[in-house]
Amino acid sequence: MLKGKNIVLAVCGGIAAFKAAALVSQIIQAEANVKVIMTKSAKEFITPLTFQALSRQPVYDNTFIEPDPTKIAHIDLADWADVVLVAPTTANVIAKLANGLADDMLTTTLLATKAQVYVAPAMNVNMYSHPAVLRNVETLKRDGFTFVDGSEGFLACGWTGKGRMAEPEDLLQVLKSHFTVKTRALAGKRVLITAGPTQEKVDPVRYFTNHSSGKMGYAIAQAAKDQGADVILVSGPTSLQVPEGIQVEHIISAQEMYEAAMKYYHQADIVIKAAAVADYRPSETFTQKRKKQNGDWFVGMERTIDILKTMGENKNSQILIGFAAESEHVEEYATKKLQAKNLDLIVANNILMKGAGFKGDTNVITTITKDGKKKEYPLLSKAEAAISILNDIASYMERKGNL
Ligand code: PMT
């Protein structure tokens, strides 16, 4: 669930900072990416080098260190994050966040991020129950921050009670459920998915097609169904088993895919076009098998209808997602398709990369949204890629206020 996710872990000055090191190690073992921010006080308890070594990333501890002139570090970090966890969080940082202060790397990044922020407090029991702290906690909850408390128990200061930071295993679970919960947000949505190749007939025994197996589209259909969506799958010819509980329309040609997809288009909330639709079909077809003849045979080709483009031109409230199978200039071409076809999100795959694209069980994808969020994923199984795509769609819809 965490594989390929971008996690910002902000560490404040408290004895529980040592537990944050264990957490970083667990996040890395879950194959997520983690970047650590440290406050000045955090460095009194643990060194940046520990986090750098565990996360294999530079540690962010100074807003004014800008190694890359093309970027502003705290904004870049804020945009990079899929989720932010502040652990341990001190009373001081809770107060700063509640009042919108921005005087170091942690506070500037947190003010700028659109990602969900989880806060794991760690402090003395009396500090935690102080009216000023409670007031600030309430403010942050109203602002959308989620608090994760540890169990009551022995505190390093000698007192017993509330204030222990949640254990790294529990915080890891919170991060995992963050992504599970988000995908459930598609429950009740009508999702139209196209998958597989199309076959463009020449005569009763010959046709033009491509290498699509349907695996990517079927994985999305399965993931969307698992998350409670009402799924309609328009499928080209594949050898795959249709997942149970999914309504399917089997088609052969691009024209049939167009007709089937358009039939459901206006009732759909989300449309995901993972199919590899033929761009051309033979301009002449034969009802009988064309006999072998002497010399070459030149087959004239005409354009098929661009289903995705037609959908983009006739969009009402649908969230429209296209794929881009590219072999070069992947991002540039994908972004052009996003704009030209009036899409909300495009999933780019470089079909020449090892483990990506047609046929196999894995893919390497980059998602780009209309509002300019780009996410590059490592090699994932198509099932994992499907969940990541649905998460990115859900995040986009949340930002638009559609979820
Ligand atoms: O099926 P698999 O073996 O698992 O492989 C997965 C995949 C490589 C097919 C999939 O990940 C993928 O990239 N699908 C899109 C392939 C494609 O046709 O890309 P394109 O760049 O040519 O088309 C761009 C988009 O326009 C696609 O969403 C496509 O569905 C759509 N399109 C294209 C042509 C057309 N006539 N009508 C369309 O709607």
Side-chain angles (χ1 to χ4, degrees), residues 195-198 209-217 237-238 274-277 357-359:
T198 63
T209 190
N210 57 62
H211 293 295
S212 172
S213 62
K215 285 180 183 172
M216 190 67 250
T238 78
V277 189
F358 294 103
K359 280 196 201 162

Side-chain angles (χ1 to χ4, degrees), residues 194-197 210-218 238 240 254 257 272-280 303-311 321-326 337 341 343 346-349 351 356-363 365 382:
T194 68
N210 57 62
H211 293 295
S212 172
S213 62
K215 285 180 183 172
M216 190 67 250
Y218 275 55
T238 78
L240 301 175
M257 181 168 276
I272 307 174
K273 289 223 69 260
V277 189
D279 289 318
Y280 294 90
R303 286 293 304 267
T304 57
I305 186 160
D306 190 324
I307 308 168
L308 191 56
K309 189 158 180 284
T310 310
M311 287 177 164
I321 293 96
F323 269 70
E326 307 291 353
K337 272 183 191 159
K341 300 192 181 191
L343 308 182
I346 192 147
V347 183
N349 36 203
I351 49 168
F358 294 103
K359 280 196 201 162
D361 291 325
T362 57
N363 207 352
I365 55 163
K382 282 186 174 163

